[in-house]
């Protein structure tokens, strides 16, 4: 029986024998014995929590059992998460399509035009809705987007104040995150009830029918209260407003915005995207920054995620935007082409000067949300919004007719019902009928209507609040055919009560792309066309060093779509999500064992966020011991830029530690820096194996030196794929680490997100790991309780994709995980050995071995031939490959990580391509081809180029596009030539170009 | 052609030309070459005061963002809007693409590096 490990690992015993032979090792174990320093070899764990490997069928059966322990219910909790109807064409052709979900971040834009176009559509959708000039390619979630908005306001504001004002009617999870993140940065949060009081009173409804049995409504009509003309706000560098409010209230914030700006602050507004089809854009009301989530545009709630957040800024703030930004540029022959713009803004370039540590986005989900808008178009979206609003207003009318008191008169989809002392009883009664409502407090209950709410459900809900057939005239009882017919006209006639000054009048989503893909056939073909332009793992190897592009198995992905995992609200009561809680606890305990730590939090929804959480835990630890002065973070010069950016956001000062010529931490410099900062030392951040792909020998000495000086050790887990089963961070002296489940543990990269970045720590740091005010359970695996404040909007982050890593570990078992690591290390060393004579391999450890990745030095090639690393990367496209990581950690190099999933045939194909490219470069050097006109400098070549009647190059068309004969059958055609980066950054355009541009 | 020997330099790869009590500042071609294609330049406001050694602006390329440090203390009297509109001119002729003019104490400029010292600083690559 073929076990899953044999399906996951690409090289079988015969292939591995060939590779080992080339390296001179008898077995893989012998190779690992030599490669991994003896001082860190971990003994197998006695009493392992990880079960023996299950087959795919067994794993699916267990997942079905876990799913059955989740009790599906109709969630009307709202608070930023709403049930939604994912169009089936989007579910099948994007969410469940490896062409979309196995792609990487579009750093090679020539082979990413499909998803880049989808992201441009996303950005255009957001700028249209928000009324602001520029939107990014997605944020991690709404709450972190609000925090990022606060940081932009801080940077851009001229105010000297350190105060940030927060709407009292903001979402509770957003408030919790703001408080926690502000504390580390010396920002003072002040909560202010911005909405004017009193709230306009309930206005009589024209169609309320009075019958002799109906008691007269208690509210009598009164004129609308005059709003105060002059609004004043406390001095601050910025303010955050929730629009509509968490209680559902819709009010005009333009005066508050003006007041904040009058004293030099910036206004950050979080806006519900669906409501913006009916409400004026926050940009038109004066907002500087608008943020939010796109979850309700067809992305399942997923027990909290993943979803794409969004951020848009007014003109002048583009260069302050955190995260990724897609722009339009042109290729080498002047055709419009998309690319990531302003990449120098990203943390991995700016390092400690970065203004945010965000290093990823939520691309797969942003693509889904943008396609929801493409599929429905502005009219369709407006119709959905109007339907939601009418249903909410009809429900409100029924509740009021039954004697209930609803807090606000003007709202979109959410109402708060005042039920003094009876909230628990109402929640329970609703639960019995299958509804989850929002328990605001003992006296108030919130209800949010969504796209999926049916009329029958409205009737049932109204009954929970005491409505009867008598108080709902025209409704003859829940569920019968006569009831439906009678209710339809009531629904159609329901008056949606919104402030007149806020009714949206401008057009939005006017670009043709939102108007021409409305049949399913047209949509399916559009999605296919875009997917066909991209190079993902379903085409060939993506040997990106440090990205670990391994298999994302179909069985691992299966459970994510099941409704028991997908249609779950993150704040659902614990008894409704028992299955999730079991899965989470199991995954936490497995990851703790694998890392050699005690406690694991799955809340962070990206590696950068896990890093931040880990550093905040260290900060909390020192402060709890009275060591507030400990704020220095030592970071090696070879570290990924996110490390430095995260340290700054955790309120630490970065001090750089030198690396020696071998790329390892310079012990001498480390000791000197430790001594120089002794009492102020908070932490050292190291990556293990190093970013250079080496198992540093001295790691135990390094961590000991830091501990001796009173510091804590943070081990960056990005390169875990070289360690799993052989060494544990906890044994190396690590105190806390983050992991990347979207690297080592098989969650797909999605084209640039979602990611999951759990933080794992030793017991002494557990109390400072991320908590969440709305978590179903305080305890985590091992009995640990975390109290460190939240770093994501949802308690368990992007919970719905955790089953992927659960399934990976479950189907590999401890032995399979070890095998995977060894196979990855073997593959990297094989490539290094075979290419060494053509390209120097930078850095090696014991026995001249590398870890799971190797760095090919292309600088001598440039010296000798003028051919650059860019040329090689683009020429690899002609050979049918995605390039390895360019110029990180060393400029002018390529870092190659094959992973364990590639078979020997594909590895050989890559080696063959690199050797052939070397030979092509030699021909340039020999003068056979001019430096300005050769296959490398002209790469990549499109079909259009070679089909043109004119061909004036000194090499043949065949050499251009079929440099290797096997490509004739398997050719991937890049849609554009090399893209002009400078042009794109000088001429910033981040929304859909007009259709004529592509003529 | 700019007479490079008549200029003063800083270890942050800026050149300074003094005329009376107004110092004209730009970045050297060595710096421009290392930055790559310049795409955006942010300069201090006219009338603002800049302090020697402190960041007063930014020069962004497709590969990185470089800080612009004030070589001397003084009031900004003029900024080069042409470079803001066409950042690529820095890559064209870095010595012609001046960035800011600052009113200074001439002695502060004299104290900066001369051509030979700057060339030595760059290991002879300038």
């Amino acid at each position: 029986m073929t076990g899953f490990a044999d399906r996951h690992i690409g090289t079988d015993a015969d292939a591995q024998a060939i590779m080992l032979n080339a390296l001179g090792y008898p077995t893989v174990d012998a190779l690992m014995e030599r490669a991994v320093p003896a001082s860190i070899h971990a003994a197998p764990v006695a009493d392992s929590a990880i079960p023996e490997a299950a087959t795919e069928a067994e794993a699916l059966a267990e997942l079905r059992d876990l799913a059955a322990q989740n009790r599906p219910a109709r969630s009307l909790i709202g608070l930023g998460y709403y049930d939604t109807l994912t169009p089936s064409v989007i579910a099948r052709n994007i969410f469940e399509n490896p062409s979309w979900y196995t792609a990487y971040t579009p750093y090679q834009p020539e082979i990413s035009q499909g998803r880049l176009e989808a992201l441009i559509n996303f950005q255009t959708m957001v700028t249209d809705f928000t009324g602001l000039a520029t939107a990014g390619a997605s944020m991690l979630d709404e709450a972190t987007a609000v925090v990022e908005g606060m940081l932009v306001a801080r940077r851009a504001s001229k105010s000297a104040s350190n105060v940030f004002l927060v709407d009292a009617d903001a979402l509770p999870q957003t408030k919790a995150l703001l408080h926690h993140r502000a504390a580390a940065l010396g920002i003072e949060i002040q909560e202010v009830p911005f909405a004017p009081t009193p709230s306009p009173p309930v206005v009589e409804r024209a169609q309320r029918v009075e019958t002799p049995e109906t008691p007269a409504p208690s509210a009598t009509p009164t004129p609308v209260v005059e709003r105060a003309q002059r609004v004043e706000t406390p001095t601050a560098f910025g303010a955050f407003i929730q629009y509509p409010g968490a209680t559902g209230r819709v009010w005009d914030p333009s005066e508050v915005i003006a007041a904040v700006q009058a004293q030099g602050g910036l206004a950050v507004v979080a806006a519900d995207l669906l409501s913006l089809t009916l409400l004026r854009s926050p940009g038109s009301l004066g907002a500087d920054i608008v943020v939010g989530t796109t979850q309700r545009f067809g992305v399942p709630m997923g027990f909290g995620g993943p979803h794409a957040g969004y951020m848009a800024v007014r003109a002048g703030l583009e260069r302050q935007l955190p995260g990724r930004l897609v722009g339009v540029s042109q290729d080498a022959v002047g055709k419009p082409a998309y690319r990531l713009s302003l990449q120098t803004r990203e943390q991995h370039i700016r390092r400690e000067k970065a203004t945010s540590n965000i290093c990823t986005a939520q691309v797969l989900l942003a693509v889904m949300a943008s396609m929801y808008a493409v599929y429905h178009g502005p009219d369709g979206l407006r119709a959905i919004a109007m339907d939601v609003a009418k249903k909410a207003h009809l429900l409100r009318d029924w509740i009021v007719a039954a004697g209930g008191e609803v807090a606000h008169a003007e709202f979109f989809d959410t109402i708060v019902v005042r039920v003094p002392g009876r909230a628990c009883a109402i929640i329970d009664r609703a639960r019995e009928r299958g509804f989850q409502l929002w328990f605001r407090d003992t006296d108030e209950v919130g209800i949010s209507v969504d796209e999926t709410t049916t009329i029958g459900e409205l009737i049932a809900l109204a009954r929970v609040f005491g409505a009867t057939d008598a108080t709902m005239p025209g409704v003859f009882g829940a569920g019968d055919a006569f009831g439906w017919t009678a209710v339809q006209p009531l629904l159609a006639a329901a008056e949606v009560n919104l402030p007149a000054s806020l009714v949206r009048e401008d057009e939005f989503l006017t670009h043709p792309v939102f108007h021409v893909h409305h049949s399913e056939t047209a949509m399916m073909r559009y999605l296919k066309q875009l997917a066909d332009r991209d190079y993902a793992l379903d085409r060939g190897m993506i040997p990106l060093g440090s990205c670990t592009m391994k298999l994302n198995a179909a069985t691992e992905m299966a459970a994510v779509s099941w409704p028991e995992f997908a249609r779950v609200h993150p704040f659902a009561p614990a008894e409704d999500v028992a299955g999730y809680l079991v899965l989470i606890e199991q995954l936490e305990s497995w990851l703790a064992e694998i890392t050699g730590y005690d406690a694991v939090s799955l809340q962070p929804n990206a590696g950068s966020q896990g890093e931040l959480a880990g550093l905040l835990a260290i900060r909390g630890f020192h402060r709890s011991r009275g060591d507030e002065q400990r704020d220095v973070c030592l970071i090696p010069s070879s570290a990924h830029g996110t490390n430095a950016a995260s340290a700054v956001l955790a309120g630490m000062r970065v001090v750089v530690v030198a690396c020696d010529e071998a790329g390892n931490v310079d012990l001498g410099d480390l000791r000197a820096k430790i001594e120089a900062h002794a009492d102020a030392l908070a932490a050292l951040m190291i990556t293990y194996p190093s970013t250079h792909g080496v198992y540093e020998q001295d790691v135990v000495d390094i961590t000991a030196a830091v501990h001796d000086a009173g510091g804590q050790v943070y081990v960056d887990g990005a390169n875990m794929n070289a360690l799993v089963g052989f060494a544990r961070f906890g044994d190396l002296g690590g105190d806390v680490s983050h992991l990347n489940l979207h690297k080592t543990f098989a969650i797909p990269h999605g084209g640039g997100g979602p990611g999951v970045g759990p933080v794992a720590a030793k017991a002494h740091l557990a109390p400072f790991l991320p908590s969440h005010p709305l978590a179903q359970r305080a305890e985590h695996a091992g009995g640990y309780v975390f109290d460190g404040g939240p770093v994501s909007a949802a308690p368990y982050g992007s919970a719905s994709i955790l089953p992927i890593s659960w399934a990976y570990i479950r189907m590999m078992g401890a032995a399979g995980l070890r095998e995977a690591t060894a196979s990855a290390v073997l593959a990297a060393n094989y490539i290094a050995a075979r290419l060494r004579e053509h390209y120097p391999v930078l850095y090696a450890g014991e026995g001249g071995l590398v870890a799971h990745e190797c760095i090919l030095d292309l600088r001598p090639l440039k010296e000798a031939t003028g051919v650059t690393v860019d040329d090689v990367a683009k020429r690899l496209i002609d050979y049918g490959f995605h390039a390895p990581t360019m110029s990180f950690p060393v400029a002018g190099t390529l870092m190659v990580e094959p992973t364990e999933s590639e078979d020997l045939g594909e590895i050989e194909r890559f080696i063959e391509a690199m050797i052939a490219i070397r030979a092509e470069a030699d021909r340039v050097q020999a003068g056979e081809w001019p430096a300005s006109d050769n296959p490398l400098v002209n790469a990549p070549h499109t079909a259009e180029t070679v089909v043109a009647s004119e061909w004036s190059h000194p090499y043949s068309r065949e050499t251009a596009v079929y440099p290797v004969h096997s490509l004739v059958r398997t050719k991937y055609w890049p849609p554009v030539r090399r893209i002009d980066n400078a042009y794109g950054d000088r001429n910033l355009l981040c929304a859909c170009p007009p259709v004529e541009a592509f003529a | 052609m700019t007479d490079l020997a008549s200029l003063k330099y800083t270890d942050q790869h800026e050149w300074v030309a003094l005329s009376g009590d107004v110092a004209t500042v730009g970045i050297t071609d060595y710096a421009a070459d290392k930055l790559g294609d310049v795409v955006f330049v942010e300069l201090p406001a006219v009338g603002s005061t800049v302090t020697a050694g402190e960041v007063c602006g930014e020069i962004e390329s497709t590969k990185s963002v470089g800080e612009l440090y004030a070589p001397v203390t003084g009031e900004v009297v003029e900024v080069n809007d042409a470079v803001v509109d066409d950042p690529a001119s820095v890559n064209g002729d870095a010595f012609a693409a001046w960035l800011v003019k600052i009113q200074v104490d001439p002695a502060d400029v004299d104290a900066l590096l001369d051509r030979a010292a700057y060339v030595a600083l760059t290991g002879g690559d300038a």
Side-chain angles (χ1 to χ4, degrees), chain A residues 319-320 339 342-345 349-350 353 980-983 985-986, chain B residues 37-40 58 60-65 67 69 87-88 91:
Chain A
R319 289 181 142 81
Q320 303 294 328
R339 61 183 281 274
L342 304 186
Q343 284 179 70
T344 54
R345 296 286 144 180
I349 306 280
R350 299 235 61 193
K353 299 194 197 73
D980 186 339
N981 287 320
Y983 180 89
D985 283 348
R986 286 183 188 135
Chain B
D37 294 309
V38 176
V39 300
F40 182 75
E58 286 195 331
E60 183 184 322
S61 72
T62 56
K63 302 189 296 193
S64 68
V65 182
E67 262 85 28
Y69 293 89
N91 297 108

Side-chain angles (χ1 to χ4, degrees), chain A residues 45 97 112 166 193 201 283 381 396 422 587 653 674 742 770 889 904:
Chain A
V45 175
N97 183 349
S112 313
V166 172
L381 292 173
R396 178 225 159 254
R422 296 182 298 125
L587 185 57
R653 287 182 289 142
I674 289 177
H742 50 288
L904 186 55

Side-chain angles (χ1 to χ4, degrees), chain B residues 29-124:
Chain B
D29 55 355
Y30 176 81
D33 186 59
K34 283 274 173 284
L35 274 173
D37 294 309
V38 176
V39 300
F40 182 75
V41 177
E42 192 183 292
L43 301 174
V46 171
S48 64
T49 305
V50 296
T51 310
E54 288 189 3
V55 176
C56 67
E58 286 195 331
I59 302 177
E60 183 184 322
S61 72
T62 56
K63 302 189 296 193
S64 68
V65 182
E67 262 85 28
L68 183 65
Y69 293 89
V72 283
T73 304
E75 184 188 316
V76 176
V77 298
E78 206 184 329
V79 298
N80 190 348
D81 290 319
V83 169
V84 173
D85 288 339
D86 180 22
S89 56
V90 174
N91 297 108
D93 182 348
F95 293 101
W98 65 274
L99 299 174
V100 289
K101 291 192 201 247
I102 310 170
Q103 189 161 41
V104 297
D105 177 350
D108 290 341
V109 176
D110 288 332
L112 299 175
L113 303 172
D114 63 13
R115 179 78 191 158
Y118 179 64
V119 172
L121 184 92
T122 62

Side-chain angles (χ1 to χ4, degrees), chain A residues 425-721:
Chain A
I426 296 278
I427 297 279
D428 288 345
R429 198 183 307 160
R431 187 65 197 88
E432 280 160 30
R433 285 160 180 75
F435 298 107
Q436 293 163 349
L437 305 182
W438 172 27
F439 176 83
R440 255 178 72 77
D441 55 44
T442 49
D443 304 325
E444 286 183 332
V445 169
I447 310 167
S448 288
V449 172
D450 62 48
E451 184 186 0
T452 70
T453 313
T454 66
I455 295 172
E457 287 166 352
L458 287 181
I459 296 171
L461 276 166
R463 291 189 195 283
V464 167
F465 288 89
T468 62
D469 287 355
T471 64
M472 291 190 287
V475 174
F476 302 117
D480 68 0
F482 298 113
W484 305 142
T485 327
V487 173
Q488 285 295 348
L490 284 179
L491 185 65
E495 227 175 73
V496 171
N497 205 21
L498 296 172
S501 69
L502 291 182
V503 172
R504 185 153 198 153
E505 268 150 16
D506 61 321
E507 291 296 311
F508 53 90
L509 301 189
T510 52
H511 192 280
V513 74
F514 298 106
H515 295 265
V516 300
H517 304 294
H518 291 175
S519 76
E520 183 167 331
T521 301
M523 187 69 189
M524 171 180 67
R525 290 180 186 162
Y526 181 49
L527 295 177
K528 174 95 170 124
Q529 277 166 27
L530 293 183
D532 280 353
R533 288 185 205 151
D534 287 6
Y535 189 99
L537 278 178
D538 61 342
R539 284 193 196 273
M541 171 162 71
I542 300 181
L544 284 167
S546 209
C547 298
T548 312
M549 305 291 294
K550 65 171 72 182
L551 172 71
N552 315 116
T555 296
E556 288 157 8
M557 300 296 294
V560 180
S561 313
W562 299 346
E564 297 91 336
F565 287 123
R567 288 182 83 171
V568 181
H569 193 286
F571 308 148
E575 56 269 20
D576 286 352
V577 295
Y580 253 124
L581 296 177
V582 170
L583 186 149
I584 285 167
E585 188 178 350
Q586 286 179 356
L587 185 57
E588 285 178 3
S589 63
W590 297 345
L591 292 174
E593 181 180 311
I594 287 168
T595 53
Y597 286 127
D598 301 306
V600 174
S601 165
L602 299 171
Q603 190 189 109
N605 50 18
S608 62
Q609 302 308 296
E611 229 175 61
L612 179 60
L615 291 170
L616 287 173
I618 291 176
R619 176 178 184 270
F621 171 74
H622 287 307
R623 292 173 80 82
S624 75
R625 290 148 60 90
D627 285 330
E628 280 97 5
Q629 83 288 353
R630 286 192 181 273
D631 67 350
V632 166
C633 186
L634 299 178
I635 300 182
S637 58
S638 58
H640 194 277
T642 325
N643 287 174
S646 299
V648 168
L649 290 175
M652 297 186 183
R653 287 182 289 142
V654 173
V655 170
V656 179
V657 177
C659 292
D660 61 21
E661 321 83 51
N664 301 322
V665 172
D666 184 327
L667 254 180
D669 194 46
L670 175 69
R671 293 193 197 284
K673 297 276 167 45
I674 289 177
E675 210 187 303
H677 298 279
D679 291 331
L681 181 63
L684 165 76
M685 293 182 83
I686 59 166
T687 306
Y688 199 85
S690 73
T691 52
H692 297 171
V694 174
Y695 294 107
E696 291 181 60
Q697 281 286 0
D698 296 328
V699 61
V700 176
D701 293 333
I702 291 170
T703 58
V706 174
H707 286 137
D708 287 344
Q712 293 281 286
V713 175
Y714 184 99
V715 184
D716 184 322
N719 290 333
M720 258 221 105
N721 214 45

Side-chain angles (χ1 to χ4, degrees), chain A residues 742-818:
Chain A
H742 50 288
K743 294 185 182 189
T744 328
F745 296 97
I747 288 181
H749 285 77
V756 178
V759 55
K762 290 247 168 95
H764 66 276
L765 290 178
F768 310 99
L769 290 183
S771 60
H772 196 286
L774 297 158
Q776 282 74 7
R777 195 168 62 183
E779 275 200 4
H780 290 264
Y784 297 99
V785 172
F786 305 154
D787 200 16
V791 292
S792 298
Y796 300 99
S798 294
S800 67
I801 51 179
L802 296 177
I804 299 173
S805 296
W806 183 96
Y808 173 68
I809 297 173
R810 187 71 189 86
M811 296 189 294
M812 293 294 276
L817 292 174
R818 221 180 116 91

Side-chain angles (χ1 to χ4, degrees), chain A residues 1 48 148 172 179 190 242 368 374 395 426 518 547 655 711 804 813 846 871 886 902:
Chain A
M1 268 280 275
S48 170
E148 293 293 334
H179 280 283
Q190 281 181 22
Q242 190 91 43
M368 287 177 67
V374 164
L395 177 64
I426 296 278
H518 291 175
C547 298
V655 170
I804 299 173
E846 284 303 296
D871 294 334
M886 279 173 45
E902 298 299 330

